[in-house]
Amino acid sequence: MLNIDKEVLFYDYYAQWIEVYKRGAIREATMAKYLMTQKWVEKLVPELKVSELTRTAYQQLLNAYAKEHERQTTLDFHHQLKGAILDAVDEGLIERDPTRKAIIKGKTPRAKKIKYLNQFELHTLIAHLELKEEPNWDWFILLVAKTGMRFSEALAITPGDFDFARQTLSINKTWDYKGEGGFLPTKNKSSVRKIQIDWQIVVKFSELMKGMPEDKPIFVWESKIYNSTVNDVLTRHCKECGISEISVHGLRHTHASLLLFAGVSIASVARRLGHASMTTTQKTYLHIIQELENKDVDLVMRTLSGL
């Protein structure tokens, strides 16, 4: 039960609220974010009581958080606190909603340069992979490069997810590599998808998976899997090939950027990546889309001048 007392410290109230309303109702990764928010509240306003939570006190808390975080992170912090605060208003612990008209500030975001390989570099990397008779991380790298899957989605792939006759791969679950292992739902509904795979993947994987159980993940052969293990394998290949060093997530960016440069529509790329909306794709690949628009302008002018 929540401690319904105006004199309770705000960070204490928030910790109780998380336990009552959030534990068991949200994914572990989201729960970790709520707990991190609670730690920040305790650090920034250790003596603030729920009854003292005015609009000014709340704005000062946001401002203090924003000094060390970018605006988007501060906005997430605000959203995570707001639910608990509105409940405190409903319970009569606070008279008025202190989150109303809150101003979200934050540090200027660093320019994020997405690291991805160009077509020649990806070709060089794939040619350098050692595809043994048994599954290894080189097979994993090949599959992510050819499908653009998220790391947790690729770990969860089983032989039963392949439909070689139709050349499709079903992505309908993830692997809990951050926790105890085992299958988990996908990131969102849009992440459940069937994607087309090329004939090389069909030939290679149909051979690799002969005799494997249909429902067991292909790439889980040890109890604990770390993202860094696969990144190390990929970095070694990149160094040996003399190409840009990228992470496994960078392979997802590589996949998307090559499709966009090849003229595949943003809508199709968004569906293939399992993005919840095209806006996510547009934001992530803005620089590529702008380059393509410049090419389009040239094409428009050439077409018009040729009339």
Side-chain angles (χ1 to χ4, degrees), residues 230-269:
V230 193
N231 280 336
D232 289 346
V233 173
L234 180 54
T235 303
R236 178 175 57 77
H237 279 300
C238 292
K239 278 180 179 166
E240 288 174 7
C241 292
I243 59 177
S244 311
E245 288 172 34
I246 60 161
S247 64
V248 172
H249 197 68
L251 285 176
R252 179 168 158 87
H253 291 316
T254 298
H255 183 80
S257 59
L258 290 183
L259 294 182
L260 289 167
F261 278 126
V264 177
S265 73
I266 296 171
S268 295
V269 172

Side-chain angles (χ1 to χ4, degrees), residues 63 76 104 116 129 161 191 275 289 295:
N63 292 354
D76 294 342
I104 309 298
Y116 60 91
L129 295 175
D161 294 328
S191 298
H275 281 162
I289 291 162
K295 278 189 191 171

Side-chain angles (χ1 to χ4, degrees), residues 14-15 51 56-57 75 78-79 82 87 95 100 127-128 134 139-140 164 173 183 190 195 202 207 209 218 269 288 301:
Y14 187 59
S51 57
T56 307
L75 186 61
H78 164 63
H79 284 316
K82 196 172 175 178
D87 280 353
E95 281 185 30
R100 197 174 68 85
H128 194 264
E134 297 287 316
W139 279 100
F140 184 87
F164 294 126
K173 57 199 171 304
F183 293 119
S190 316
I195 58 171
V202 169
E207 191 59 35
M209 298 184 314
I218 302 165
V269 172
I288 295 172
M301 296 325 290

Side-chain angles (χ1 to χ4, degrees), residues 27 152-159 161 172-177 180-186 214-218 220:
R27 289 164 68 115
S152 58
E153 291 172 342
L155 281 178
I157 291 297
T158 65
D161 294 328
N172 49 39
K173 57 199 171 304
T174 62
W175 187 259
D176 181 21
Y177 70 95
E180 299 298 308
F183 293 119
L184 284 177
T186 53
E214 288 286 287
D215 56 349
K216 293 279 191 303
I218 302 165
V220 178

Side-chain angles (χ1 to χ4, degrees), residues 37-105:
T37 295
Q38 193 272 337
K39 280 201 176 78
W40 271 101
V41 172
E42 188 173 351
K43 181 183 172 184
L44 297 170
V45 285
E47 292 169 12
L48 181 71
K49 294 175 181 172
V50 173
S51 57
E52 298 165 343
L53 201 55
T54 59
R55 271 188 66 203
T56 307
Y58 184 67
Q59 188 63 57
Q60 284 169 339
L61 168 60
L62 287 183
N63 292 354
Y65 185 82
K67 278 181 187 168
E68 297 188 45
H69 297 88
E70 291 179 11
R71 190 179 178 281
Q72 183 58 51
T73 315
T74 308
L75 186 61
D76 294 342
F77 179 74
H78 164 63
H79 284 316
Q80 292 201 325
L81 289 176
K82 196 172 175 178
I85 291 171
L86 291 181
D87 280 353
V89 173
D90 286 348
E91 286 159 359
L93 300 180
I94 306 171
E95 281 185 30
R96 290 189 194 86
D97 174 14
T99 66
R100 197 174 68 85
K101 292 187 177 175
I103 307 296
I104 309 298
K105 303 171 188 176

